[in-house]
Amino acid sequence: MSDTTAEADVIVVSNRLPVDHSDDAEGGWRRSPGGLVAALEPVLQSTGGAWVGWPGTADLEVAPFAFDGISLVPVTLSEEDVELYYEGFSNDTIWPLYHDVISPPAYHREWWDAYVRVNERFAQAAASVAAPGATVWVQDYQLQLVPRLLRELRPDVVIGYFHHIPFPAYGIYSQLPWRRQVLEGLLGADVIGFQRTTDAGNFATAVRRQLGLETKSGVVRVPGPDGSERRAVAKAYPISIDAALYDEIARRPEVQERAREIRESLGNPRTILFGVDRLDYTKGIMHRLKAYGELLAEHRLDVEDVTLVQVASPSRERVAAYMQLRDEIELTVGRINGDHDTVGHTAIRYLHHSYPREEMVALYLAADVMLVTALRDGMNLVAKEYVASRIDGRGALVLSEFTGAADELAQAVKVNPHDIEGLKDAIMTAVQMAPAEQARRMRALRRRVRDHDVADWSRRFLSDLDAVRGSR
């Protein structure tokens, strides 16, 4: 690790750096888990690129440094920045608004002011390390103003922006008091990527209705300050996973042995249902628990034969809506277990932890049915991870139609999670699915995930950015 101030030809800008600060890691830093890091690291390593982001700890001031061949450019956030920009505007205004107001968003002018201030800081950091004509790729909803701010600072660079969460229909988006400023911020990018075609269409509608700009076939005509005009591309680039890595982990003998141990520890039930989510109100965990509890109460499922394993990894634990959700889930799990547990079998094994990737793959291998019942989700990579891990060609995936993954994973058992009776029927369809039918569906699902992996996603996006450069 060494200090670096080199100008970079390719720069990623995201809320978080791809490393976590840890006193027991070598040099005090360790690589963060996650698909985005896996997708973009090779690109930055091969180009000598830079990554601009927050180190994850308030008031931590760190000089730029190199890690695994990438220049890391830390952006310092104060405790107040974290509270107002991150927990406030990003996660208590934008997140609920963009997820169809499942939880009511809060609008506070001081949160917006902090959001503007922090976005300016990120844009300045990116501008300071960009080589002439560099490619800058901004990631996600915390930084929607950065593209325009960066263009004003560095009109020579090519700018991409990728939106990892849904973009809402206009009737919802229009509630945002700063709706015009956010659209203008995003239109600073040359290429604006979304998870679903629907999201790109919602964005285009908002641009027409709010800004009166012409949009056609995913192209927005954006007026320049000098009367000129440029074209911004807005379309879908569905994100994915490193499918080959999950396949490889699933083939390890120790991971397969761990999957057998998991089944054994649950009393070797005939069927294991599995849900894994960040503890978030968008994920439909309560709907899933309600449906499962009713199936047990109606004796369509028997606790002697079936166990639900629910992993809910901790999330935004200082936000009131999340504290309330955790309490509701734990009460519901306790009630269902109290009603249905026997001496030898538990209805729900609830785990409020995060697990390393190898343990997750073992859980995927142990699970007969994967339940993805999100009420709204940009993509949901868990569905793809389950498919990539099923090297045995078995298993069934119950998938909410309100996830981006539903557009791609056509052979899943699709469900509207708001329809509890329909959700119960979908779970029973998956539980009772014949092995030959599981194999037929899983073969097609695995082919889709393998052929459209995370490397393909980044390659397609960066190729479109290169096309912009070529047209200048």
Side-chain angles (χ1 to χ4, degrees):
M1 185 162 62
S2 64
D3 287 343
T4 179
T5 55
E7 289 192 323
D9 290 318
V10 179
I11 299 159
V12 169
V13 187
S14 70
N15 179 61
R16 285 293 304 274
L17 286 173
V19 293
D20 293 319
H21 191 250
S22 172
D23 292 333
D24 59 356
E26 184 182 348
W29 299 96
R30 63 158 62 99
R31 178 186 284 100
S32 305
L36 186 64
V37 178
L40 300 179
E41 235 182 10
V43 177
L44 296 181
Q45 286 167 341
S46 65
T47 58
W51 193 307
V52 175
W54 173 47
T57 303
D59 296 309
L60 181 64
E61 297 198 23
V62 185
F65 63 96
F67 185 95
D68 269 10
I70 302 174
S71 300
L72 300 185
V73 183
V75 175
T76 302
L77 297 185
S78 67
E79 190 70 51
E80 184 183 51
D81 292 331
V82 174
E83 180 187 342
L84 303 181
Y85 143 80
Y86 181 67
E87 293 174 352
F89 194 81
S90 295
N91 291 328
D92 216 4
T93 301
I94 292 294
W95 180 270
L97 181 74
Y98 283 27
H99 285 86
D100 291 356
V101 198
I102 294 166
S103 177
Y107 303 115
H108 297 295
R109 284 168 290 182
E110 62 270 27
W111 289 3
W112 166 253
D113 292 341
Y115 188 78
V116 173
R117 185 170 65 246
V118 172
N119 272 244
E120 287 172 345
R121 207 174 305 156
F122 274 86
Q124 287 160 0
S128 70
V129 295
T135 295
V136 182
W137 194 0
V138 183
Q139 305 290 330
D140 221 3
Y141 65 101
Q142 301 95 342
L143 303 175
Q144 293 175 100
L145 308 182
V146 167
R148 180 178 183 177
L149 293 166
L150 180 59
R151 182 169 294 280
E152 290 170 353
L153 293 168
R154 292 291 302 274
D156 60 300
V157 302
V158 176
I159 304 169
Y161 169 89
F162 188 76
H163 195 75
H164 292 259
I165 68 172
F167 195 92
Y170 181 71
I172 292 174
Y173 179 77
S174 62
Q175 297 174 31
L176 182 67
W178 306 279
R179 55 200 183 182
R180 290 180 65 89
Q181 294 96 311
V182 168
L183 293 175
E184 289 166 349
L186 293 172
L187 286 172
D190 296 292
V191 178
I192 307 155
F194 298 93
Q195 300 281 26
R196 309 179 80 169
T197 303
T198 305
D199 297 323
N202 288 343
F203 173 75
T205 300
V207 166
R208 288 194 301 273
R209 296 282 296 274
Q210 272 302 311
L211 305 180
L213 299 182
E214 182 182 330
T215 68
K216 187 175 182 181
S217 303
V219 175
V220 185
R221 298 161 74 104
V222 185
D226 56 356
S228 63
E229 186 179 84
R230 61 181 184 84
R231 293 154 61 87
V233 175
K235 68 178 191 179
Y237 301 83
I239 200 170
S240 194
I241 61 168
D242 185 346
L245 176 61
Y246 281 87
D247 185 286
E248 183 271 318
I249 293 172
R251 294 181 190 278
R252 296 177 192 170
E254 66 271 21
V255 173
Q256 295 182 9
E257 177 58 32
R258 177 63 186 139
R260 283 189 287 273
E261 289 174 5
I262 290 168
R263 291 196 76 96
E264 185 96 13
S265 71
L266 295 169
N268 280 316
R270 186 183 304 163
T271 304
I272 295 175
L273 308 176
F274 185 37
V276 55
D277 311 88
R278 251 183 344 97
L279 198 147
D280 193 291
Y281 49 76
T282 65
K283 300 299 183 181
I285 299 172
M286 288 298 295
H287 297 64
R288 185 182 314 162
L289 295 176
K290 183 175 179 61
Y292 178 62
E294 290 186 11
L295 287 170
L296 290 173
E298 294 163 5
H299 305 293
R300 293 171 71 182
L301 293 177
D302 189 323
V303 76
E304 299 286 327
D305 298 325
V306 179
T307 296
L308 168 62
V309 178
Q310 176 63 55
V311 173
S313 56
S315 171
R316 299 172 191 157
E317 299 203 290
R318 302 197 322 188
V319 178
Y322 290 78
M323 292 188 279
Q324 181 182 341
L325 177 64
R326 179 179 177 178
D327 290 346
E328 288 174 0
I329 289 171
E330 290 176 355
L331 282 169
T332 302
V333 168
R335 181 180 54 75
I336 292 172
N337 283 344
D339 288 346
H340 300 287
D341 279 7
T342 63
V343 172
H345 293 89
T346 296
I348 303 170
R349 184 68 62 87
Y350 175 69
L351 306 164
H352 184 58
H353 312 287
S354 298
Y355 290 97
R357 186 182 282 143
E358 288 74 14
E359 181 75 359
M360 289 307 306
V361 173
L363 283 160
Y364 291 143
L365 282 171
D368 302 287
V369 177
M370 185 79 215
L371 301 178
V372 177
T373 58
L375 308 180
R376 193 80 167 89
D377 215 333
M379 177 50 63
N380 194 285
L381 294 178
V382 162
K384 295 186 177 184
E385 290 172 5
Y386 178 71
V387 168
S389 301
R390 295 307 305 210
I391 57 172
D392 57 357
R394 297 286 295 275
L397 172 63
V398 175
L399 181 60
S400 165
E401 63 193 58
F402 304 120
T403 64
D407 290 356
E408 298 183 83
L409 303 183
Q411 290 75 22
V413 179
K414 302 287 179 61
V415 67
N416 171 4
H418 298 282
D419 174 9
I420 300 299
E421 289 300 326
L423 179 52
K424 288 156 60 178
D425 290 343
I427 292 171
M428 293 307 301
T429 296
V431 168
Q432 296 167 349
M433 191 180 292
E437 177 71 3
Q438 289 182 25
R440 183 187 68 78
R441 289 176 181 243
M442 190 57 72
R443 196 161 44 242
L445 289 168
R446 283 176 59 77
R447 189 182 312 117
R448 173 73 195 190
V449 172
R450 185 186 65 236
D451 292 348
H452 299 277
D453 65 359
V454 72
D456 177 63
W457 168 77
S458 61
R459 193 164 46 241
R460 288 192 304 113
F461 195 102
L462 290 169
S463 173
D464 282 0
L465 277 179
D466 283 342
V468 170
R469 172 177 285 103
S471 68
R472 283 188 168 182

